[in-house]
Amino acid sequence: MSFTIKVHTASHLNLNHNHRVSNIAYCPNFIPKIRPKPFCNPNPLISRARIHKMHADRYSGAAPVIRSSLIEPDGGALVDLVVPESLRASKTSEAGSLPQAKLSKIDLEWVHVLSEGWASPLGGFMREHEYLQSLHFNSFRMKDGTVVNMSLPIVLAIDDDTKGRIGSSPHVALVGPNGDPIAILRSVEIYKHNKEERIARTWGTTAPGLPYVEEVITPAGNWLIGGDLEVLKPIKHNDGLDNYRLSPKQLRQEFDKREADAVFAFQLRNPVHNGHALLMNDTRRRLLEMGYKNPILLLHPLGGFTKADDVPLDVRMEQHSKVLEDGVLDPETTIVAIFPSPMHYAGPTEVQWHAKARINAGANFYIVGRDPAGMGHPTEKRDLYDPDHGKKVLSMAPGLEKLNILPFKVAAYDTVEKKMAFFDPTRSENFLFISGTKMRAFARSGENPPDGFMCPGGWKVLVRYYESLQAEETSQQPAVLSS
């Protein structure tokens, strides 16, 4: 699935970009170089693998200690934007004296992403020079000349009233949807929010019906505000799932505890069926054949905004737990954690962000399949993006050269073997393709999918969810009729 009007900058605001530690260069003549790349805890879903002691010869110099942190974060170090505990009281007090900008729920999800370093080396909401590089080049050029991928603009929109309240203040307090202080944005810069340009360049279309556009961009203000972010305390959602939200630092520590010598990440926003499991298990087999001794799977469901007809996060996490309980995936070699980013459904543009964030989490292999981050066209009966373009773009994307991309084979239901299997074109008539839409239709109607499509425990979770939806819809009908 790929993804000019003059932008005006408020002249009275601070335009000094040189203090940000990320050292992202202001470079109007930026041209990324593209090189070919090789083919390629408290969390109850982390079953602690036995931590074997290092062999004595590792300490004798016979062999180096293998660590899972095999890939450097972008910029060389993870960004951590959370204020140290010793300074929280004073910073919170300062925030109370500053002009305020209110965050939406999805803005808060982006604060979470930024605060933990998923977008390293980005140190806050984008200033204009960062925004333009992201929007037009899908990457940043650092001051040392290196290029890091940044395919999605991470920006904060404000309206005219908020801009007026900020005035010439160099710092702004960010408050949550309930008015609680969340962060301070330092040395701010305000610039024009050209929505049409942003939408066209990110999604490749301005057609109505794009979920993120309708939820976030259309109702947003006409200004963007960027600056250095200081987050007053770790972001918690208090939804019973915070123990799954492992930061890049925590994930790297977990990979090291397990002595992983390869980490392969699988991004998804749907329940796991046996076709997914086949792909993940086959990837591990391939890595073992390549000579790796302990490849670890990062099963990494997206936990931010998703469109209304997607299965909610809490249901997906319960379903994923059943997949491990039923032995479809090996708990000893699998880590399940939540990726806190909102979903754009922006195809090849967005899949670069998904891959880049996993670099920062310590994964050196990334599995990509058909139509990653895609969706159906909002006004026509077709896919919005070419289903093969995502994996092709990842193999060429500037700033992702150090990540090994693993395109996977197509899996479908084999009606002869009665299980999910890799598609064999020589007997195509024996294969049944069950899309996510069809899977949800099965669960919604109470109809069971073919045996071997999904583990029984995982399927029951989905059926219960759709039964609860139907019961809720039924209970609301009399009220609608009476009104």
Side-chain angles (χ1 to χ4, degrees):
M1 321 164 292
S2 178
F3 306 88
T4 50
I5 297 173
K6 189 174 181 181
V7 180
H8 301 280
T9 306
S11 59
H12 62 278
L13 293 176
N14 190 325
L15 301 181
N16 177 17
H17 314 303
N18 296 324
H19 49 81
R20 179 167 286 173
V21 293
S22 64
N23 290 321
I24 298 166
Y26 176 70
C27 184
N29 296 319
F30 164 63
I31 302 174
K33 295 180 181 178
I34 301 176
R35 301 196 308 268
K37 69 203 301 195
F39 167 81
C40 4
N41 141 28
N43 182 337
L45 292 190
I46 295 182
S47 172
R48 293 282 177 177
R50 294 193 308 274
I51 307 300
H52 300 288
K53 292 184 178 180
M54 298 293 186
H55 295 298
D57 61 357
R58 289 189 176 182
Y59 296 98
S60 67
V65 175
I66 295 176
R67 299 184 65 80
S68 71
S69 299
L70 300 175
I71 189 166
E72 274 197 348
D74 282 344
L78 280 174
V79 169
D80 181 358
L81 304 181
V82 179
V83 170
E85 193 165 2
S86 60
L87 299 177
R88 286 176 194 168
S90 62
K91 297 283 188 180
T92 302
S93 176
E94 180 189 359
S97 67
L98 296 173
Q100 296 181 351
K102 191 169 185 179
L103 301 171
S104 69
K105 181 177 182 292
I106 296 174
D107 292 333
L108 188 58
E109 292 173 357
W110 282 121
V111 171
H112 187 173
V113 167
L114 289 166
S115 71
E116 293 182 341
W118 295 99
S120 295
L122 188 60
F125 286 106
M126 291 179 181
R127 295 185 174 90
E128 187 181 38
H129 76 285
E130 295 162 331
Y131 171 69
L132 292 176
Q133 288 187 65
S134 173
L135 191 66
H136 292 272
F137 306 139
N138 287 355
S139 55
F140 290 156
R141 180 175 290 280
M142 307 295 288
K143 288 187 176 179
D144 64 1
T146 59
V147 172
V148 298
N149 194 273
M150 185 61 70
S151 64
L152 289 184
I154 301 180
V155 292
L156 179 61
I158 58 173
D159 58 21
D160 291 348
D161 290 341
T162 302
K163 178 176 178 290
R165 286 196 303 271
I166 293 170
S168 60
S169 175
H171 313 309
V172 174
L174 305 183
V175 299
N178 298 323
D180 49 320
I182 299 295
I184 296 174
L185 201 60
R186 300 281 186 191
S187 303
V188 299
E189 177 189 351
I190 297 177
Y191 53 102
K192 191 70 176 175
H193 186 192
N194 187 328
K195 298 179 185 181
E196 183 178 22
E197 179 188 25
R198 179 182 173 190
I199 295 165
R201 292 203 65 88
T202 302
W203 282 270
T205 180
T206 56
L210 298 168
Y212 190 89
V213 171
E214 293 197 339
E215 183 72 22
V216 178
I217 299 179
T218 299
N222 294 321
W223 303 94
L224 298 175
I225 182 170
D228 301 320
L229 193 63
E230 295 178 356
V231 181
L232 300 177
K233 60 182 179 180
I235 302 298
K236 300 296 180 185
H237 296 259
N238 300 314
D239 57 358
L241 299 175
D242 281 329
N243 53 342
Y244 296 116
R245 293 184 175 94
L246 302 182
S247 69
K249 180 180 178 181
Q250 290 171 318
L251 285 169
R252 285 173 175 264
Q253 290 171 342
E254 184 64 30
F255 301 147
D256 287 345
K257 286 178 184 177
R258 297 197 184 201
E259 299 182 13
D261 59 354
V263 176
F264 58 108
F266 188 78
Q267 146 96 27
L268 73 170
R269 66 174 195 272
N270 285 312
V272 174
H273 56 63
N274 288 350
H276 294 136
L278 174 67
L279 297 166
M280 290 182 271
N281 289 327
D282 186 68
T283 298
R284 188 169 196 276
R285 177 192 61 77
R286 291 161 64 192
L287 290 172
L288 290 169
E289 288 178 353
M290 291 165 64
Y292 293 96
K293 303 300 182 185
N294 188 26
I296 294 294
L297 165 64
L298 173 59
L299 181 60
H300 215 196
L302 185 136
F305 164 80
T306 54
K307 55 190 174 69
D309 63 347
D310 281 350
V311 178
L313 178 63
D314 59 338
V315 178
R316 285 185 279 132
M317 294 305 294
E318 183 182 0
Q319 194 269 348
H320 297 346
S321 72
K322 295 298 182 184
V323 169
L324 269 70
E325 286 177 17
D326 288 0
V328 177
L329 294 174
D330 183 1
E332 296 294 303
T333 58
T334 303
I335 295 173
V336 183
I338 293 172
F339 176 44
S341 175
M343 186 76 191
H344 277 57
Y345 305 91
T349 298
E350 182 171 21
V351 74
Q352 296 173 66
W353 158 243
H354 293 164
K356 175 247 172 47
R358 276 37 179 250
I359 289 176
N360 286 330
N364 54 345
F365 290 87
Y366 186 79
I367 305 174
V368 60
R370 182 188 181 279
D371 201 20
M375 58 174 280
H377 195 284
T379 61
E380 302 175 18
K381 291 185 177 180
R382 62 178 178 86
D383 288 337
L384 183 55
Y385 306 104
D386 185 301
D388 292 325
H389 280 184
K391 61 186 178 185
K392 291 179 179 178
V393 166
L394 282 185
S395 71
M396 301 181 289
L400 296 182
E401 293 86 357
K402 60 187 175 182
L403 182 65
N404 297 286
I405 304 301
L406 295 171
F408 60 61
K409 294 177 281 187
V410 176
Y413 185 76
D414 188 330
T415 58
V416 175
E417 298 294 330
K418 306 226 178 288
K419 65 178 184 178
M420 297 298 289
F422 291 120
F423 177 68
D424 182 354
T426 65
R427 55 185 190 92
S428 58
E429 69 278 3
N430 299 139
F431 284 87
L432 177 64
F433 287 89
I434 302 175
S435 65
T437 300
K438 187 177 289 187
M439 176 184 68
R440 291 190 291 269
F442 278 142
R444 199 176 286 114
S445 66
E447 181 182 355
N448 286 325
D451 289 342
F453 173 73
M454 184 182 291
C455 67
W459 184 250
K460 287 178 183 176
V461 171
L462 294 186
V463 171
R464 282 200 308 270
Y465 164 66
Y466 283 109
E467 286 177 346
S468 71
L469 276 189
Q470 290 172 343
E472 183 179 341
E473 290 169 359
T474 301
S475 67
Q476 290 175 350
Q477 283 177 359
V480 172
L481 290 174
S482 63
S483 63

